[in-house]
Amino acid sequence: MGSFLPNSRQEQQRMLKETGYENFDALFLQIPEAVRVEELHLPGGMSEVEASAWMEEAGRKNRLFRHIFRGAGAYSHYIPAIVKSVAGKEEFVTAYTPYQAEISQGLLQAIFEYQTMICELTGMEASNASVYDGACAAAEAAAMCRDRKRNRVCISETVNPLVIQTVKTYCFGNNMEMTVIPEKNGITDTEALRREISDSCACFLMQYPNFYGNIEDARLLGELVHGAGAKFIMSCNPISLAVLETPGECGADIAVGEGQPLGLGLSFGGPYLGFMAVKEQLTRKMPGRIVGETKDAEGSRAFVLTLQAREQHIRREKAGSNICSNQALCALTASVYLSAMGAEGLAKAANLCFSKAHYLQKVLEKAGLALKYHSPFFHEFVTVSDTPSGKILEALEKEGILGGLPLSEKEILWCATEKNTKKEMDQAAKIVQEVTGL
């Protein structure tokens, strides 16, 4: 990267000398030799035409599936054309962090509208923006709950394993303990939670619906957690909140989740959007940004950056979060999606997800895949079969169908959304039946 930096070799040498290093080797001495790259053997440069041709050729190696029956945190939903049309406008795409925020009234209003919609969706009182993804939001929420006497995070085993790993990493960095509450029959073991919740526990995090697709009794879990004086965090699928009880109705202190279903494509894993909403008393502990509404000197409606918890500006050693980038474009996309869908449209999408997942479960059961858990589920469910999971998924893949996520040699986590048709589901079930031999 040296040739791309806006300084000369002489300036680099002066900076090295000023910082007390003789050369670049001394600067990077703390990096173990085993991971150092001594020399890069890069191919020669290409013209724009050659580079474009190379990218097209490389792109042909990607496997594109006609039908998708996999979720596990990233979901294939229908995105109205207006979403990309609005969010793709140049003035939004090029906008970044508003350092002189009040000058950027359009960007501030977009964030304000997003916050308002998230509060309406979750039933909470305040929302922020600029959380990176759902896993990050869950980890940031757990960190918000710590205090001097309570330094332990309890998290259900039914939470997405990748989210659990992220929370664990944050706990390590924050000198917090983490206790995983085991699952029982596909939901959180309430007796285990009763045993583990104590005066040292700062919060409990559950997923709703959980990683296996099951809808847990959030009210009951919340009562247990609050009875021990801890905070209750719900990590939610935003589409499901159009038809299920909201975190606010369930008594949650903090609601978080992955905003990707709200108009963001799968995009090979990102960029995604973490949403967070809280009860009013936790507002000042939130990371990221909060935009508020006020009036200007002429009495007109105006927007201000009410809270900007960017601790890298000052007092870094006391920072509660390291969030510093800006997810405003993803937040704008979510707000355009929610505006385009409206309350009725979002509820219709959620009901279609629910009904189609239950239809898929029935036809797969007839094809030889038994339902593992018998709890109510939203649009994901786990099947079990004597036929190896890999054999089933391979047969589907040959027909251009991405099957569910293999959880073990005999278990698969399936998902259906409003995009999946009866014809697609019947075709998948027929292929599975041919593999199982039923």
Side-chain angles (χ1 to χ4, degrees):
M1 290 296 292
S3 61
F4 293 94
L5 297 177
N7 50 58
S8 65
R9 289 290 183 183
Q10 291 78 12
E11 289 171 325
Q12 292 174 15
Q13 292 299 322
R14 284 172 55 192
M15 286 189 286
L16 281 172
K17 185 177 180 180
E18 187 69 26
T19 53
Y21 295 101
E22 295 182 1
N23 50 48
F24 285 106
D25 290 337
L27 178 63
F28 298 112
L29 191 61
Q30 293 184 351
I31 299 177
E33 289 188 23
V35 297
R36 290 187 211 168
V37 178
E38 298 296 335
E39 185 178 356
L40 291 174
H41 299 282
L42 299 176
M46 297 181 184
S47 67
E48 183 178 342
V49 174
E50 291 172 328
S52 178
W54 185 91
M55 292 293 291
E56 288 182 6
E57 183 63 28
R60 294 191 183 99
K61 297 179 182 179
N62 292 331
R63 182 65 187 272
L64 300 178
F65 292 95
R66 293 183 295 111
H67 312 307
I68 298 176
F69 294 104
R70 182 173 299 187
Y75 303 96
S76 178
H77 288 284
Y78 171 72
I79 302 175
I82 194 173
V83 175
K84 293 183 180 179
S85 175
V86 173
K89 289 182 178 294
E90 183 179 351
E91 54 267 38
F92 293 132
V93 173
T94 57
Y96 186 59
T97 301
Y99 287 102
Q100 295 178 327
E102 280 62 45
I103 295 177
S104 308
Q105 283 293 299
L107 182 59
L108 289 181
Q109 181 173 1
I111 296 175
F112 179 83
E113 302 296 351
Y114 162 78
Q115 292 171 179
T116 303
M117 293 179 192
I118 292 298
C119 286
E120 292 176 346
L121 191 62
T122 59
M124 305 297 278
E125 296 167 348
S127 175
N128 64 359
S130 291
V131 182
Y132 303 139
D133 56 36
C136 172
E140 292 284 354
M144 282 171 54
C145 298
R146 62 180 171 174
D147 58 33
R148 293 179 181 178
K149 295 182 179 180
R150 295 177 179 267
N151 200 42
R152 186 163 62 95
V153 175
C154 289
I155 184 169
S156 173
E157 190 180 13
T158 62
V159 171
N160 188 315
L162 298 178
V163 175
I164 294 177
Q165 290 179 27
T166 304
V167 174
K168 183 178 180 180
T169 300
Y170 271 64
C171 286
F172 172 79
N174 291 325
N175 294 317
M176 298 177 72
E177 297 179 25
M178 188 181 85
T179 301
V180 177
I181 308 300
E183 61 91 10
K184 185 176 182 181
N185 298 324
I187 60 174
T188 306
D189 187 339
T190 54
E191 293 304 315
L193 180 61
R194 283 192 177 94
R195 292 192 299 269
E196 291 294 343
I197 285 287
S198 66
D199 293 342
S200 66
C201 185
C203 62
F204 169 70
L205 171 65
M206 57 105 50
Q207 185 169 321
Y208 177 83
N210 68 27
F211 179 67
Y212 306 114
N214 300 324
I215 303 171
E216 303 201 29
D217 189 343
R219 285 179 181 264
L220 173 62
L221 295 175
E223 290 172 1
L224 292 176
V225 173
H226 287 150
K231 296 288 191 298
F232 182 39
I233 307 172
M234 292 178 64
S235 178
C236 310
N237 179 319
I239 300 293
S240 74
L241 296 182
V243 292
L244 299 180
E245 283 191 311
T246 67
E249 293 170 328
C250 294
D253 298 291
I254 307 175
V256 296
E258 174 56 66
Q260 178 272 326
L262 302 177
L264 296 168
L266 293 172
S267 304
F268 205 71
Y272 284 171
L273 168 70
F275 68 84
M276 177 183 289
V278 301
K279 294 294 187 184
E280 186 177 0
Q281 59 267 30
L282 291 173
T283 301
R284 293 193 65 83
K285 288 191 173 183
M286 281 197 293
R289 294 169 179 77
I290 300 177
V291 174
E293 181 182 358
T294 185
K295 292 184 178 180
D296 63 15
E298 298 177 355
S300 301
R301 187 188 192 205
F303 300 93
V304 294
L305 199 57
T306 303
L307 180 67
Q308 180 180 216
R310 296 192 63 172
E311 290 89 346
Q312 77 273 26
H313 293 326
I314 56 173
R315 299 193 305 172
R316 297 184 187 183
E317 71 280 1
K318 295 183 179 180
S321 166
N322 67 348
I323 285 179
C324 59
S325 187
N326 188 30
Q327 297 292 98
L329 181 60
C330 294
L332 171 71
T333 303
S335 60
V336 175
Y337 172 85
L338 289 169
S339 298
M341 296 291 285
E344 292 185 8
L346 195 65
K348 183 176 181 180
N351 281 315
L352 285 172
C353 287
F354 179 86
S355 61
K356 292 189 176 188
H358 283 73
Y359 178 82
L360 178 62
Q361 185 271 315
K362 292 299 182 184
V363 293
L364 288 178
E365 188 171 43
K366 292 178 181 178
L369 305 186
L371 183 66
K372 182 175 181 181
Y373 303 117
H374 294 279
S375 298
F377 64 89
F378 175 57
H379 74 342
E380 290 180 277
F381 57 91
V382 178
T383 62
V384 60
S385 169
D386 290 333
T387 306
S389 302
K391 189 175 181 181
I392 293 171
L393 298 176
E394 184 179 350
L396 291 169
E397 186 175 331
K398 288 180 179 178
E399 298 300 323
I401 300 173
L402 179 63
L405 178 71
L407 301 181
S408 70
E409 189 177 348
K410 301 296 178 68
E411 298 173 345
I412 300 176
L413 174 64
W414 300 86
C415 175
T417 70
E418 76 280 14
K419 286 178 65 175
N420 297 119
T421 66
K422 181 177 181 295
K423 182 179 179 180
E424 294 170 10
M425 293 185 280
D426 289 341
Q427 180 188 3
K430 183 179 179 181
I431 295 170
V432 171
Q433 189 170 26
E434 290 173 355
V435 176
T436 60
L438 293 182

